[in-house]
Amino acid sequence: MKESIPLTWRRIPERYTLLGTQCETCGKAYFPPRIICPQCRRKGKIKKIKFSGRGKVYSYTKIFVPPEGFEKQAPYMLAVIELEEGARVTAQIVDTCGDVKIGSPVRAVFRIIQRDDPEGLIHYGFKFRLANDT
Amino acid sequence: MTRFGENWEKGFRDMVTEAGINAINDAGISGEEINAGFVGSMASGTLIGQEHIGALLADYMGLNPTPITRVEGACASGSLALRQGFMAVASGLYDIVVVGGVEKMTDLGTTEVSTILGGAGDQEWELFLGATFPGLYALMARRHMYEFNTTEEMLAAVAVKNHKNGAKNKYAQYQNEITMDTVLNSKMVADPLKIMDCSPITDGAAAVILAPSEMAGSFKKEPVNIVASTQASDTLALHSRETLTGLKSAQIASAIAYKQAGIAPKDIDVAEVHDCFTIAEIMAIEDLGFFKKGEGGKASLEGRTSLEGEIPINTSGGLKSCGHPVGATGVKQIAEIVWQLRGEAGKRQVKNAETGLTHNVGGSGATTVIHILQKQR
Ligand SMILES: [Zn+2]
């Protein structure tokens, strides 16, 4: 689905720098950012944190039938990544020949996520690549 | 209900009216007796550009000025509508309530429909980054395979079994049997899920009539009691969950439902579960307590969930073979269990079925609705 310009602009900190939140009361890290900690609710104290971008593959799949806007990228690897701070994110794994396994170490990279059309908006954000790759 | 399928000749309002009339005829009541209605639809606004479908339904069924309300919970919208109707009758506010579910999906192309269905997940943090619905369930399947040695053959066994049941259902979209090879050799959608592991895009509508138990005996057909109605929520995004190998919302909603009904999983004779993908049925039969976590795949391969098995699952053909008009699915599940408990399921009848369960999931598990139905004794 095409995102609006205000939405894309609003999400720049999180998508460009993996900015999330952490609850000072229970220590749990969240990505994307949350206004309240679902575990502690009003007893929680939320602060912003910047994730290191290092993590491990928790699960993965190869997408052969892509959604609108991803036609030129398919097939591509999609994974749930467990970041070293504990939060998990959904993201693509790029620059790999398919040797992704559960547990593979990965690191975040800054990439184009999708383009609306040749004249339209270019959406940027995070993808991941295998950490042992050079 | 209407037949499920690519109903090009029928519009949204045609199908919802047809299903409603069928339910009213089945109960042997007249329109004036209906006090209120609830209708489930996930995405009529994006699929056909029509919102305000409660009013549309009242108008086209000739029920004005009866209040009809739309409810939405992605693919669980139909069961949610039933749950609203159940609560409205149980509260004593209304006596006779009509509950419908409907979706018109084939007016758009596959890519557009898939994008719209993606809205059941987290638009900003899953779909925007390249996830698809088959992709999210593939992530669950991969993890289930990793933790429990579930195989692609076990997944395929679910599709084969559901087509076998669907072949006996005149309302089903696909009334043909398939082989394991057909599933295993079908086109990859999101590894390890192939096209034959996925439920199709479907048009259809289903409806039921609710009434207080003490009144229900006076209707034409044998009534069936709703002995439990529960709903639980979980995180919208899959990645925010502790585990990917089961749905906590289904585990919690079913545990409460068994308690409400005063029964245990072993007391269920027949169940309709939400097999939007084959892995979803395997997780469902574990989450519902029919099999231990991790053993659902093996049980499916061994035929323990077939029509002749110890717990027949998805006698209607499930979402895979009967079709999945998202808003209608939850109500269709109820209709199938009612037919089973009344002994009206024909060639797919489960012998002596007295207690049945429905499991309807929204998105990747952020909503699960469970109902338990029992034959009136
Ligand atoms: Zn907390």
Side-chain angles (χ1 to χ4, degrees):
Chain A
M1 203 184 87
K2 276 187 192 175
E3 275 191 353
S4 70
I5 293 170
L7 169 56
T8 299
W9 168 78
R10 199 157 56 232
R11 291 293 173 238
I12 282 176
E14 296 94 323
R15 286 180 179 165
Y16 286 21
T17 67
L18 274 176
L19 190 73
T21 52
Q22 189 171 22
C23 172
E24 285 182 347
T25 309
C26 69
K28 201 165 157 54
Y30 295 101
F31 188 88
R34 287 176 180 265
I35 293 164
I36 61 163
C37 170
Q39 292 191 43
C40 309
R41 292 193 284 264
R42 273 188 291 174
K43 293 191 191 80
K45 197 157 177 275
I46 289 288
K47 63 167 185 187
K48 284 184 179 167
I49 61 160
K50 200 167 164 293
F51 288 95
S52 68
R54 284 185 296 271
K56 284 182 176 164
V57 173
Y58 186 76
S59 191
Y60 65 94
T61 176
K62 194 171 193 175
I63 304 280
F64 289 84
V65 180
E68 274 174 316
F70 290 83
E71 293 86 350
K72 286 184 183 157
Q73 300 178 45
Y76 54 85
M77 301 292 298
L78 184 85
V80 169
I81 310 287
E82 185 160 282
L83 298 168
E84 62 181 1
E85 294 86 352
R88 292 191 196 136
V89 299
T90 301
Q92 282 189 43
I93 300 181
V94 288
D95 308 333
T96 164
C97 304
D99 40 1
V100 173
K101 289 190 176 63
I102 289 178
S104 297
V106 289
R107 62 185 170 85
V109 287
F110 180 70
R111 292 292 164 88
I112 290 176
I113 301 295
Q114 51 173 304
R115 298 164 193 262
D116 286 350
D117 57 62
E119 312 267 298
L121 213 54
I122 302 176
H123 302 269
Y124 292 92
F126 54 86
K127 292 186 180 178
F128 284 77
R129 58 182 300 178
L130 292 174
N132 351 9
D133 278 15
T134 44
Chain B
M1 57 188 273
T2 67
R3 176 160 178 195
F4 281 9
E6 295 182 348
N7 298 337
W8 291 323
E9 73 292 356
K10 286 179 192 166
F12 184 94
R13 60 188 75 185
D14 306 321
M15 293 191 299
V16 78
T17 307
E18 182 185 329
I21 290 169
N22 287 348
I24 288 170
N25 284 341
D26 183 80
I29 57 170
S30 75
E32 294 86 68
E33 294 176 75
I34 294 172
N35 306 134
F38 295 90
V39 58
S41 170
M42 171 181 165
S44 64
T46 37
L47 288 167
I48 59 162
Q50 181 69 61
E51 309 289 14
H52 210 176
I53 64 169
L56 180 150
L57 186 57
D59 184 2
Y60 275 76
M61 284 188 61
L63 293 179
N64 281 339
T66 307
I68 300 194
T69 307
R70 172 188 176 175
V71 295
E72 189 273 319
C75 331
S77 299
S79 282
L80 275 188
L82 183 83
R83 196 166 138 71
Q84 305 315 307
F86 170 80
M87 292 191 290
V89 173
S91 75
L93 185 61
Y94 298 123
D95 281 334
I96 299 185
V97 167
V98 59
V99 171
V102 56
E103 216 73 65
K104 176 72 194 166
M105 303 177 76
T106 66
D107 280 1
L108 294 181
T110 306
T111 310
E112 287 166 294
V113 173
S114 306
T115 303
I116 290 166
L117 294 179
D122 190 325
Q123 190 59 49
E124 292 179 26
W125 302 105
E126 292 182 323
L127 288 306
F128 168 79
L129 295 159
T132 59
F133 247 83
L136 294 176
Y137 276 89
L139 290 166
M140 296 192 236
R142 176 70 63 205
R143 191 71 204 186
H144 205 278
M145 291 169 139
Y146 175 79
E147 289 185 29
F148 306 116
N149 296 316
T150 302
T151 64
E152 293 183 34
E153 286 77 14
M154 293 175 184
L155 299 176
V158 171
V160 172
K161 183 264 296 170
N162 286 347
H163 270 260
K164 203 172 171 189
N165 292 344
K168 300 182 174 75
N169 184 358
K170 65 175 180 177
Y171 292 104
Q173 180 166 11
Y174 299 118
Q175 299 174 23
N176 63 307
E177 296 193 19
I178 56 170
T179 65
M180 175 131 342
D181 279 346
T182 311
V183 184
L184 293 174
N185 296 324
S186 64
K187 201 181 98 177
M188 196 63 87
V189 173
D191 184 28
L193 300 180
K194 301 155 201 81
I195 187 85
M196 293 302 278
D197 286 296
C198 307
S199 56
I201 290 170
T202 313
D203 301 323
V208 296
I209 305 290
L210 303 181
S213 308
E214 57 275 16
M215 266 178 80
S218 61
F219 296 134
K220 196 168 85 185
K221 286 282 186 71
E222 183 190 348
V224 162
N225 288 334
I226 298 174
V227 293
S229 174
T230 63
Q231 175 189 351
S233 306
D234 200 353
T235 64
L236 185 63
L238 183 66
H239 60 234
S240 305
R241 310 209 187 125
E242 282 161 43
T243 169
L244 301 191
T245 55
L247 307 184
K248 204 172 167 186
S249 59
Q251 293 160 8
I252 291 171
S254 62
I256 301 170
Y258 291 133
K259 214 173 159 188
Q260 265 183 18
I263 60 168
K266 65 170 172 43
D267 299 317
I268 302 293
D269 301 315
V270 56
E272 287 283 302
V273 309
H274 198 89
D275 61 317
C276 48
F277 301 94
T278 49
I279 183 64
E281 176 165 323
I282 289 173
M283 294 194 300
I285 59 178
E286 298 167 350
D287 293 340
L288 294 170
F290 301 145
F291 300 98
K292 276 197 199 128
K293 188 47 76 185
E295 293 178 6
K298 193 163 163 278
S300 300
L301 191 62
E302 288 169 351
R304 294 168 71 185
T305 57
S306 71
L307 213 44
E308 303 77 27
E310 65 210 69
I311 170 77
I313 301 289
N314 282 331
T315 55
S316 70
L319 283 57
K320 172 70 194 80
S321 173
C322 193
H324 184 28
V326 281
T329 284
V331 183
K332 175 222 77 178
Q333 293 180 322
I334 296 292
E336 175 69 10
I337 295 296
V338 167
W339 288 325
Q340 287 287 353
L341 300 185
R342 280 186 193 158
E344 294 176 348
K347 284 183 190 155
R348 59 183 199 285
Q349 180 65 47
V350 174
K351 268 186 208 140
N352 307 320
E354 293 199 345
T355 306
L357 177 147
T358 65
H359 158 278
N360 191 196
V361 174
S364 64
T367 298
T368 299
V369 184
I370 303 282
H371 284 97
I372 299 178
L373 277 64
Q374 233 161 21
K375 202 177 162 128
Q376 217 169 45
R377 286 168 239 220

